[in-house]
Amino acid sequence: MRSRLITRQRQHDDYTVTDLGSSDDGGSRRCDLEFAYGDGEGRYSVQVFLSLCYRAGEDRVTWLLAAACTRPWRSCHVAPAHRIGLEELGASGHDEIPIETPVLAMRGWSREECDHLADLLGEALVAPWRTSAVLVLAEPPTVPVAGWAGLVNVFDVDDRFRRTLNRNVPLGCAVPAGARLYAPPCDQLPDFVETASPVNGEALEGAITQLIQARGRTPLPEEWADVASVRAWYAADPFVSPEREPDAGLTEKLDRAERELAEARRVITILRKKAKAHAEERDRHACEVKALRSRLEDVSATEVGCLREQLAQLQATVDDYAREFEETEAERDELRRVNGLLAGRLARHHEADDEVAAAGRPPEEFSSFAELVKAAASLAHLVLTAEPAPAAILDHHPKAAAWRRKAWDALRTLDAYASARTSLLDAGQDPGPELSDVLAFARTGQPGSLISANIIALAESDTVTTNERLRQARTFRVDPRTNPAGRDYFGAHIALERFKAPAPRLHFLDDTDRTGRVYVGYLGAHLPTSKTN
């Protein structure tokens, strides 16, 4: 039976079964099972005790069934015994009627069948050992009725069988024309009698529900009380779980989980305190920001006009300083020019009168950069390969005259440097550190140096040198003796204007070691850089 119940569970999967144990005491065999199932009304748990009672030499054995539910269930629900597949189980007695289906229809039977079954059923209805209820329906109820195996057996009979049955039972137990529910003697409940046609289904369900609820409070039937194992089981609490040895591994895991939970709670407490502190600090900062914004709005409303006036005054002051700076630069360039001429006079004292006269003349003025380039052709140690267009654009600038004067001084300085260095190299002498390059030539104030060393750069930045596009913008024509390719990179330059756009530049290439010349490859606005292009 146990195997059959577990097999049915696997097939239908409408409940779960747990084997709580079994035993064999020599006089009977017992098996404890627990069933759990649920439906739309709730979840139920049923503990079932199966006991196989037998005696030596007996041909028949008796299965006894007792069940305890966690709460009473109503007649509109499927009976526990029916749900778990115990339709054949019920109270046992002499000549008991086998119950194979929940409802036994007995309409249209022959007279002999009716007489025999009415005799058996009449004996069962008045027998004190009966533990299941019997419902005899002579008329159909308004609500369909199904049997509850192991608890209520239903007999659907016709009027002939009803009259036959009434002849086999006392007058007080007769079946009326409607229906009668015979309560088991052990439940000590009155029978439910309904004479109306059709039978009131709701009233019938209420009677069955009352029977179900009372069954949980009735004592163990006398027939089952004779079995020691059944009596001990019935007296015990059906909801107490069997005692089990403590699981060391599970206990350790539980202790570790409790420690981790305590640690997690401690961390949560710390985090909550930090979050609260952060929230307070955030609120404080918000108040400070609000106060600062209010102050800023007040200041903006009252001081914007004043600040604008101060800005205009400062801009005017800057313009004045810029004009004074340009005048100072012009004076400085003139002084450097005179210094270079005086240095040449001291170096060539035998030509003192000519140099002094030259120093007394005003600097040469050119009406355009094209005129300046034409005059530079007279400088013997310079080679001008620069295109005229970039320089011609500068003629339209207000500072063009100052740039032409500075460019002419730069060209003469480059020519003087090339002349002095070439003379020593041709004579087989070492030029020395003063003539190592144009920058050293200007910094040491050599004769013929007319510009400041601060505006000379011998190379471009690494950003320009390593950028192929920017490097190509500074590559110009040279003599094949200087570079067989006919072009070379001009990284050295002189700044005619250091800061303000278009910041003109004069790019040159020192080739005094090979050809004794200095190339001027470009004269015009500042060439592109990574910042400007």
Side-chain angles (χ1 to χ4, degrees):
M1 178 62 70
R2 170 177 168 276
S3 174
R4 173 187 166 190
L5 294 176
I6 296 177
T7 301
R8 185 185 182 281
Q9 173 217 342
R10 294 173 180 172
Q11 292 174 348
H12 296 272
D13 195 26
D14 55 355
Y15 62 87
T16 59
V17 59
T18 305
D19 191 348
L20 301 180
S22 59
S23 65
D24 189 344
D25 57 7
S28 65
R29 297 180 62 187
R30 56 173 290 178
C31 179
D32 289 291
L33 302 174
E34 181 180 359
F35 299 88
Y37 61 93
D39 53 25
E41 298 294 332
R43 180 173 176 83
Y44 299 89
S45 178
V46 180
Q47 186 171 350
V48 177
F49 177 78
L50 301 178
S51 178
L52 176 61
C53 302
Y54 58 93
R55 296 180 178 82
E58 286 191 356
D59 296 332
R60 299 176 67 253
V61 295
T62 304
W63 277 103
L64 300 182
L65 168 66
C69 297
T70 56
R71 59 180 177 175
W73 51 275
R74 299 186 178 278
S75 60
C76 59
H77 303 151
V78 180
H82 189 191
R83 176 179 286 273
I84 64 180
L86 300 178
E87 291 86 351
E88 295 82 0
L89 298 179
S92 70
H94 300 290
D95 298 325
E96 64 174 314
I97 301 173
I99 303 173
E100 301 292 344
T101 58
V103 178
L104 182 61
M106 305 179 63
R107 295 179 179 273
W109 286 24
S110 64
R111 181 177 296 277
E112 292 78 8
E113 292 173 334
C114 289
D115 291 341
H116 176 68
L117 190 56
D119 180 52
L120 294 177
L121 183 57
E123 181 182 356
L125 291 178
V126 297
W129 45 261
R130 180 170 56 85
T131 58
S132 62
V134 177
L135 174 60
V136 181
L137 294 172
E139 291 290 338
T142 57
V143 178
V145 175
W148 295 267
L151 183 63
V152 179
N153 303 320
V154 182
F155 294 85
D156 184 12
V157 301
D158 54 15
D159 189 65
R160 184 176 65 177
F161 184 86
R162 180 181 68 82
R163 291 195 300 270
T164 303
L165 177 62
N166 286 341
R167 290 196 297 268
N168 291 277
V169 295
L171 182 61
C173 296
V175 180
R180 182 164 186 163
L181 175 65
Y182 295 88
C186 61
D187 293 328
Q188 300 179 359
L189 290 176
D191 293 350
F192 169 78
V193 180
E194 178 66 38
T195 59
S197 179
V199 177
N200 188 335
E202 294 182 356
L204 179 59
E205 278 201 353
I208 297 176
T209 298
Q210 184 181 6
L211 170 65
I212 294 172
Q213 294 175 346
R215 174 56 61 91
R217 300 189 295 270
T218 57
L220 189 67
E222 295 180 359
E223 181 182 355
W224 292 0
D226 295 337
V227 182
S229 59
V230 176
R231 187 172 60 253
W233 176 84
Y234 199 79
D237 186 353
F239 307 114
V240 175
S241 301
E243 296 183 0
R244 297 180 180 177
E245 293 294 330
D247 189 341
L250 183 60
T251 303
E252 182 180 355
K253 291 181 180 179
L254 181 60
D255 293 341
R256 183 169 65 252
E258 290 179 349
R259 292 194 299 270
E260 293 176 354
L261 180 59
E263 179 65 19
R265 287 175 176 170
R266 187 181 67 82
V267 172
I268 291 174
T269 302
I270 295 175
L271 292 177
R272 285 177 176 173
K273 291 181 179 179
K274 289 184 177 180
K276 183 178 179 181
H278 291 165
E280 294 175 352
E281 184 176 3
R282 180 192 61 201
D283 295 340
R284 180 172 58 82
H285 289 166
C287 293
E288 293 178 356
V289 169
K290 184 177 180 180
L292 290 175
R293 284 180 177 175
S294 177
R295 181 180 176 186
L296 179 61
E297 291 175 356
D298 296 341
V299 170
S300 300
T302 57
E303 298 185 3
V304 168
C306 181
L307 291 176
R308 287 179 177 174
E309 183 178 353
Q310 293 179 5
L311 180 61
Q313 294 176 356
L314 291 175
Q315 186 63 47
T317 304
V318 169
D319 294 339
D320 293 339
Y321 281 136
R323 284 192 295 271
E324 293 178 2
F325 178 73
E326 291 177 358
E327 293 175 359
T328 303
E329 277 193 327
E331 293 177 0
R332 182 200 63 190
D333 294 341
E334 180 61 24
L335 290 174
R336 289 191 178 280
R337 179 176 176 277
V338 173
N339 180 68
L341 293 176
L342 291 176
R345 177 176 177 273
L346 291 175
R348 299 184 297 275
H349 60 86
H350 57 282
E351 300 175 356
D353 295 337
D354 296 338
E355 294 294 342
V356 171
R361 294 194 300 269
E364 297 187 43
E365 294 289 342
F366 301 97
S367 60
S368 67
F369 275 96
E371 185 179 345
L372 181 146
V373 172
K374 184 177 180 181
S378 62
L379 301 177
H381 294 86
L382 288 185
V383 179
L384 272 73
T385 62
E387 296 292 337
I393 297 175
L394 301 176
D395 285 330
H396 304 286
H397 199 278
K399 297 183 67 175
W403 292 341
R404 285 192 290 266
R405 287 194 299 269
K406 187 173 289 187
W408 178 246
D409 289 343
L411 292 174
R412 293 178 63 189
T413 299
L414 292 175
D415 181 68
Y417 158 74
S419 176
R421 182 176 172 82
T422 304
S423 299
L424 292 177
L425 291 175
D426 291 344
Q429 299 180 14
D430 184 7
E434 306 88 25
L435 294 175
S436 59
D437 50 52
V438 177
L439 181 61
F441 180 78
R443 183 179 291 121
T444 56
Q446 296 299 312
S449 175
L450 306 178
I451 59 176
S452 171
N454 294 334
I455 64 174
I456 301 174
L458 297 181
E460 290 281 15
S461 64
D462 292 340
T463 304
V464 173
T465 305
T466 57
N467 188 304
E468 184 62 24
R469 180 178 61 84
L470 301 179
R471 185 181 178 89
Q472 285 297 324
R474 291 160 175 76
T475 301
F476 308 107
R477 291 183 295 109
V478 295
D479 190 280
R481 292 178 301 168
T482 300
N483 190 325
R487 296 177 65 81
D488 209 337
Y489 172 65
F490 285 61
H493 58 273
I494 297 173
L496 304 183
E497 177 75 40
R498 299 186 64 183
F499 304 110
K500 293 184 178 181
R505 295 291 187 267
L506 185 152
H507 284 261
F508 65 90
L509 175 65
D510 184 359
D511 195 38
T512 53
D513 289 339
R514 286 174 291 188
T515 62
R517 300 290 185 270
V518 174
Y519 290 90
V520 178
Y522 177 81
L523 177 59
H526 200 301
L527 291 172
T529 64
S530 59
K531 296 181 179 180
T532 60
N533 190 359

